[in-house]
Amino acid sequence: MDFLTLSELFLMVCLIIYMLASVKIAARRTTGSALAGVAGFTISSAVVLTMVSSLTGIDFCRDIAFAILILSPVGTIAAAYVLGGGDL
């Protein structure tokens, strides 16, 4: 294994640890921390999926990561709108 592959695997492990920390942040009772935790989880999972795509050659992981990154802000805006008292 070359240095680039090892560094990508190390980054994936670090991002998985960050995903676990984001779940802990999202489990708090306040709305702001929940939205921040979910945003951190989605960004790190999209980066991990993109790295899996580059390491293994599985192309649909990159498409799933792109869909996660596009739909995550839409869900955040919808949740903020509903919590603000609006209807979907």
Side-chain angles (χ1 to χ4, degrees):
M1 297 178 89
D2 59 342
F3 184 71
L4 179 63
T5 306
L6 288 176
S7 63
E8 287 176 345
L9 292 174
F10 179 72
L11 180 61
M12 286 177 66
V13 169
C14 291
L15 285 170
I16 290 171
I17 292 170
Y18 178 67
M19 288 169 68
L20 294 174
S22 294
V23 169
K24 185 177 179 181
I25 292 171
R28 293 185 181 172
R29 299 210 182 256
T30 61
T31 306
S33 64
L35 290 175
V38 170
F41 185 83
T42 56
I43 290 171
S44 60
S45 64
V47 172
V48 167
L49 282 172
T50 304
M51 292 178 69
V52 166
S53 173
S54 69
L55 285 174
T56 61
I58 301 172
D59 292 331
F60 67 87
C61 287
R62 188 176 35 202
D63 298 334
I64 293 170
F66 183 68
I68 286 173
L69 287 177
I70 295 298
L71 294 177
S72 175
V74 173
T76 303
I77 292 169
Y81 184 74
V82 168
L83 291 173
D87 290 333
L88 285 180

